Amino acid sequence: MMISRYSILAAATGAWVILAAAGPVLEVVQIETTPNGFTSSPRGWNSFGIQANPNTTPGFSFNQTGVLSQCDVLAKTTALKDAGYIYCSLDSGWSVGGNGDEFGRIIYDSSIFDIPSLASHLHAEGLLLGVYVVPGAFIADEAKTILGTNVAIGSVCSGDNGLARCNFDYSQPAVQEWHNSVVNQFASWGVDFIKLDFITPGSPANGVNLPPDSSGEVIAYHQAIAQSGRDMRLDISWKLDRSQKYFDIWETNADSMRTDQDINNGGASTFVSWEVVQRAIDNYRQYITTVTAYNTTLTIYPDMDNLFVGNPASVSGVTDDERQTIMTHWLGAGANLIVGSDLTSLDGLGLNLLTNPNAIAIADFTAHYPMQPRNPGSGLANSQQLQAWIAGPDASGAAVVIIANYGPDEGQGGFGTSLSGMQTISVSWDDLGINGTFDVHDVWADKDLGAESSGLSDVRDLSKAE
Ligand SMILES: *[C@@H]1O[C@H](CO)[C@@H](O)[C@H](O)[C@H]1NC(C)=O
Ligand SMILES: *[C@@H]1O[C@H](CO)[C@@H](O)[C@H](O)[C@H]1NC(C)=O
Ligand SMILES: *[C@@H]1O[C@H](CO)[C@@H](O)[C@H](O)[C@H]1NC(C)=O
């Protein structure tokens, strides 16, 4: 690789006026309280990156000891905990894979986890617990009776979705009772977060046999959480359908939704590769432009998948500049800040990217005003190598601007023309859809750039060897 990629994140405050003439009108995008009552995306850690890429983290086992060796780092590292990284989220494999309990409820694999004791350990440290589920009841449980009913699971669930489970008939009231029984048991264990995977429409190229529409599962989990009396987040996955019909279901039932497929490198000795990050960023661009055409007030956070910025380049799989670029975009989007890195070997850059007070202030801002694309020279929202984004402005006139050089198209971004060598990226207030004078602060450099009345510019070298 002979290129570096950089982005700068600038926060600006000042007077602003929405322009009607030059570029397209800027419609400020906002996120309001989510269906389960949250006003920011979750921050924490999830086990999937290490489970899928075990060579990154020698000695890790996916069991209670291994998970605590990671999550205790969140509790013991004041900077991480103070920045709000409190979720310890288990991915696939924590529960028994082929059957439930006598009522068909999901149970933990007691050979590797004791979930109530894990929850109390985490809660005592000020952390929260996340678990992972997929749609349907177990085929092996079809003869069992749903708790509190006389309904056999097999009378409301049939077929085979390829995950050892049958497909629910969501029009049957007993199906909600099954979800209530599962979530009430989670609540009694102390669960705070549910990742619901393999939801359709979405979850493409899954290699299993998913039904075309399992959106009823998202509604059922939301209702089950509401009746449980416990605060829990619902995160749904993956690459969910963005049509208005389904987006309305997602944003009225879930708190965050995956905007792309998995980004980790399967089985490699590194976590992620740049071209796949490029794809994830472009999927966010497609997502935000699609859903804000329905309504610029959203009630769901984007989940761009786990953040792989914590470890050195040799383990993360992306350069230090790219690590910063990843963090910049996850921050800008108001996306889930769920780290997938090995927390036991964070380097100084990783810790700074995750906990830098300026960066966390940006996350707090974009939790209400997520970024949208407004490109240099046009103000348009298309995919380009040299791209710009704006979040806000809010009512006080504060905005976040990101200007990025993604490097040449590596097959995922659809940039068209690829530039190389020194490139100046300039974005005018006109391009961004604002005007007036802003006091500009470079977030990562923590440097005041002074008052600007026309725009931002930055030179990024694409020929620098890595
Ligand atoms: C987790 O796995 C490690 C390595 O196999 C083992 O030493 C440890 O006892 C296991 N812990 C639990 C709780 O299963
Ligand atoms: C846009 O979304 C907000 C928040 O959900 C809602 O209150 C408002 O009615 C919606 N507007 C339209 C035009 O649908
Ligand atoms: C902002 O744009 C409007 C509309 O083009 C213009 O009338 C106004 O003078 C501009 N204000 C500043 C401070 O540039």
Side-chain angles (χ1 to χ4, degrees), residues 44 71 99 105 125 175 225 297 344:
C71 293
N99 60 275
R105 295 179 298 180
E125 294 178 315
V175 171
I225 290 170
T297 303
T344 67

Side-chain angles (χ1 to χ4, degrees), residues 268-280:
S269 56
T270 55
F271 280 114
V272 73
S273 63
W274 174 254
E275 64 269 23
V276 178
V277 170
Q278 243 178 0
R279 184 194 77 198

Side-chain angles (χ1 to χ4, degrees), residues 120-141:
S120 24
H121 176 112
L122 296 171
H123 293 161
E125 294 178 315
L127 304 182
L128 298 172
L129 173 64
V131 297
Y132 171 101
V133 297
V134 299
F138 290 106
I139 293 167
D141 289 344

